[in-house]
Amino acid sequence: MDLDKLVHQPTRLELFAYLYRRGESSFTDLREDLDLTEGNLSSHLQRMEDAGAVEVNKEFVDKRPRTTAVLTDDGEELFEEHVQQLESLIDALDDE
Amino acid sequence: MDLDKLVHQPTRLELFAYLYRRGESSFTDLREDLDLTEGNLSSHLQRMEDAGAVEVNKEFVDKRPRTTAVLTDDGEELFEEHVQQLESLIDALDDE
């Protein structure tokens, strides 16, 4: 079983799951809901963006900068594959 | 969600699952079935033993050294908690 470290890293696994569930989310919501520091969240999102798994958008709303993140199709696929691997590991526990 | 890195690291997650399913297992079986190098397996088992999650036994069988590993009660409990956390993350995907 080859668990993809991009997805499997604990904080990123939560990020993938959060974005997978909620779709496009603001940086602030991600930071608050997942209880992350700004630096930590930025570095993980950068890593995910570099891998093509997430798209980060920056825009001005009412003259204030707003950053959002959304999984790309590849990101969703990567996460779904990862969940299947975790599910097969868990299901196999009942085999013995 | 606080995923325990001792269990969550990809190779160790497979080790925990293998030992959880099969009980006491030989070093050779672990190495072959999980396709690990001797050094890699030894270092992960050492880390797990140091944390009290696994017991490593060394004995002579027909004058040949034989090493086995078995999860301790703490190790089983740690793994079960981890599986529950992964399951709740996966189940929550259907909530939105």
Side-chain angles (χ1 to χ4, degrees):
Chain A
M1 193 172 62
D2 188 17
L3 289 168
D4 184 337
K5 288 203 166 92
L6 176 79
V7 185
H8 195 68
Q9 194 277 344
T11 303
R12 287 196 295 271
L13 183 59
E14 286 196 83
L15 273 169
F16 268 99
Y18 186 99
L19 291 169
Y20 188 82
R21 284 198 329 249
R22 310 237 176 148
E24 185 156 24
S25 306
S26 74
F27 189 90
T28 309
D29 285 349
L30 287 165
R31 190 170 50 76
E32 284 171 5
D33 292 355
L34 296 179
D35 193 24
L36 299 170
T37 65
E38 213 160 301
N40 199 10
L41 176 55
S42 300
S43 74
H44 284 302
L45 281 181
Q46 187 62 57
R47 176 90 189 265
M48 291 164 76
E49 192 180 28
D50 293 347
V54 81
E55 201 184 281
V56 177
N57 301 306
K58 295 182 187 265
E59 55 184 349
F60 279 94
V61 177
D62 305 332
K63 295 180 184 149
R64 294 182 57 202
R66 186 166 185 268
T67 303
T68 59
V70 59
L71 289 184
T72 60
D73 291 344
D74 286 352
E76 288 201 354
E77 217 177 289
L78 263 176
F79 180 63
E80 284 165 356
E81 271 163 37
H82 198 79
V83 168
Q84 271 160 20
Q85 284 184 303
L86 293 178
E87 282 174 329
S88 64
L89 178 135
I90 291 169
D91 294 345
L93 296 178
D94 309 324
D95 289 358
E96 292 316 306
Chain B
M1 194 172 62
D2 188 17
L3 289 168
D4 184 337
K5 289 205 167 90
L6 176 79
V7 185
H8 195 68
Q9 193 278 343
T11 303
R12 288 196 295 270
L13 184 58
E14 285 195 84
L15 272 169
F16 268 99
Y18 187 98
L19 291 169
Y20 187 83
R21 285 199 328 252
R22 308 232 179 155
E24 185 156 24
S25 305
S26 74
F27 189 91
T28 309
D29 286 349
L30 287 166
R31 190 170 49 75
E32 285 171 3
D33 292 354
L34 296 179
D35 193 22
L36 299 170
T37 65
E38 213 160 300
N40 199 10
L41 176 56
S42 299
S43 75
H44 283 302
L45 280 181
Q46 187 60 58
R47 176 91 189 266
M48 292 164 76
E49 192 180 27
D50 293 347
V54 81
E55 202 184 282
V56 177
N57 301 305
K58 294 183 190 261
E59 56 185 349
F60 279 95
V61 177
D62 306 332
K63 295 180 184 149
R64 295 180 59 199
R66 186 166 184 266
T67 304
T68 59
V70 59
L71 288 185
T72 61
D73 291 345
D74 286 351
E76 287 200 355
E77 217 176 289
L78 262 177
F79 179 63
E80 285 165 354
E81 271 163 36
H82 198 77
V83 167
Q84 271 161 18
Q85 285 185 302
L86 293 179
E87 281 175 328
S88 65
L89 178 135
I90 292 168
D91 294 345
L93 296 178
D94 307 325
D95 290 356
E96 291 317 308

